[in-house]
Amino acid sequence: MQKQGSLSYHLKAGAVRHFANRRVCVSRRRGRSDIGGPVQANSAAAIAEIPTRLNTIPHERSTRVGTLLECVREMATMLCKRHGGKVKVCVQQSLGTGVFQGTPLALSGVRRILLQMDWGEVSDQIEIGQLGRDQIDDCQTYILISPQNITGHSVLPLISEMVDEAHADKKEIIMVNPQLGDIMSSGGVMSVRGRQERMDFISTFTTAYHFRLLYIGMGPYPIMGALRYSYGGEWHIYKRVDFKGEDGSPQELYDMIQASKQEPDSSIITAAFKSSKA
């Protein structure tokens, strides 16, 4: 029997993805209602981080793109049905110039997949775009898929001008799984100069949903637990417990061992796991 405060996952169940996708959508809606969406400053844009892959390696920028786009489709569908307007799903274009031009590996081919996706009953309300001020048009909401810096080029200027334009038009921007940390390069791009301004801009976004697996060291195995946050609630630390189901199949139970109002750092997470063993 599953006890209160636990998350029960069956490794082969598609319900896991559906549960996560619905949590993302509900959290975004709560944040939209509470902080007033695009009526406020840059803080109106929400960041949603989702479990795109059960064995994602934290320091690598790879995901199972099908799972990620499944969540984006569910979110976009909900938005279209709720406000009746258009939603533009944006994937960053190639950055840089000449031989230094490129697209992050995790986003390679994503735009082509989006164009081929079946958007169901809201297909006439979905548009596919990229990053930049010129993308703000008659759409009501803009979903940015995994925007991230690359060596020698920062994506933040494109996001910043896009947010400013959306704010002026009272529209909403949502970033899903952003990777906006600095990447050092020999050209001095994203160096110490200007770092505080970049960090200040990133901090203006409101986290709507966060979920990530917790490992010993850099991962990807063993998975020790998970960290979860839904807008308006607390940060929950879960410990993974393996067990056998009634049919003998392997299952997992993620037991909540600690809750906090602020995002816990590694020392707090480690202490929570040690206390759970006591």
Side-chain angles (χ1 to χ4, degrees):
M1 181 176 181
Q2 181 178 335
K3 63 181 181 179
Q4 186 176 6
S6 298
L7 297 176
S8 182
Y9 287 107
H10 189 292
L11 291 179
K12 296 182 180 179
V16 176
R17 299 194 307 275
H18 178 70
F19 170 82
N21 293 347
R22 295 309 302 168
R23 289 298 90 200
V24 171
C25 294
V26 169
S27 297
R28 187 222 63 87
R29 188 168 65 245
R30 288 175 181 169
R32 178 71 166 83
S33 300
D34 194 3
I35 64 179
V39 176
Q40 296 188 4
N42 293 347
S43 59
I47 299 178
E49 298 196 9
I50 62 174
T52 58
R53 185 174 179 177
L54 288 182
N55 60 342
T56 299
I57 304 175
H59 62 284
E60 292 188 2
R61 301 186 173 198
S62 62
T63 58
R64 182 166 292 164
V65 67
T67 308
L68 175 62
L69 296 185
E70 185 180 61
C71 178
V72 170
R73 177 168 56 189
E74 186 157 350
M75 187 187 306
T77 299
M78 181 201 70
L79 290 167
C80 290
K81 290 182 177 180
R82 284 185 65 85
H83 59 55
K86 293 182 179 179
V87 173
K88 179 174 285 190
V89 182
C90 304
V91 182
Q92 76 185 61
Q93 58 273 37
S94 294
L95 303 179
T97 58
V99 296
F100 299 104
Q101 185 177 23
T103 302
L105 178 61
L107 298 178
S108 179
V110 171
R111 180 181 175 86
R112 183 177 62 182
I113 296 174
L114 287 171
L115 292 171
Q116 296 175 343
M117 281 177 60
D118 179 7
W119 295 92
E121 58 187 303
V122 299
S123 58
D124 59 340
Q125 296 173 258
I126 300 294
E127 294 187 6
I128 309 301
Q130 53 187 22
L131 304 186
R133 185 188 304 274
D134 61 344
Q135 296 297 304
I136 306 300
D137 47 26
D138 61 339
C139 294
Q140 183 62 35
T141 304
Y142 300 82
I143 301 177
L144 280 51
I145 299 180
S146 298
Q148 51 195 272
N149 298 315
I150 64 173
T151 302
H153 202 95
S154 174
V155 74
L156 287 177
L158 291 173
I159 298 176
S160 178
E161 64 181 37
M162 198 171 183
V163 169
D164 290 342
E165 189 71 18
H167 170 54
D169 292 345
K170 293 181 168 53
K171 297 181 178 181
E172 180 181 21
I173 288 183
I174 303 171
M175 294 197 300
V176 181
N177 281 13
Q179 301 282 349
L180 301 179
D182 287 348
I183 299 179
M184 302 300 293
S185 66
S186 58
V189 179
M190 290 175 283
S191 61
V192 175
R193 184 170 57 184
R195 179 171 297 168
Q196 188 59 53
E197 288 78 4
R198 294 192 295 273
M199 293 175 63
D200 289 343
F201 171 70
I202 294 172
S203 67
T204 61
F205 288 85
T206 299
T207 301
Y209 187 83
H210 182 102
F211 182 101
R212 76 173 187 266
L213 296 176
L214 302 175
Y215 309 90
I216 293 180
M218 297 301 293
Y221 297 105
I223 298 173
M224 299 301 296
L227 178 65
R228 177 175 175 266
Y229 168 80
S230 184
Y231 182 83
E234 295 181 312
W235 291 82
H236 293 166
I237 301 175
Y238 294 90
K239 178 180 180 180
R240 171 185 165 182
V241 179
D242 295 321
F243 68 98
K244 294 288 187 179
E246 294 181 356
D247 58 354
S249 61
Q251 297 191 22
E252 296 177 345
L253 179 71
Y254 283 74
D255 189 18
M256 189 178 73
I257 57 176
Q258 184 171 312
S260 60
K261 294 183 178 180
Q262 303 295 327
E263 181 178 2
D265 57 23
S266 58
S267 61
I268 295 177
I269 294 174
T270 299
F273 275 93
K274 288 182 178 179
S275 297
S276 69
K277 296 179 180 179

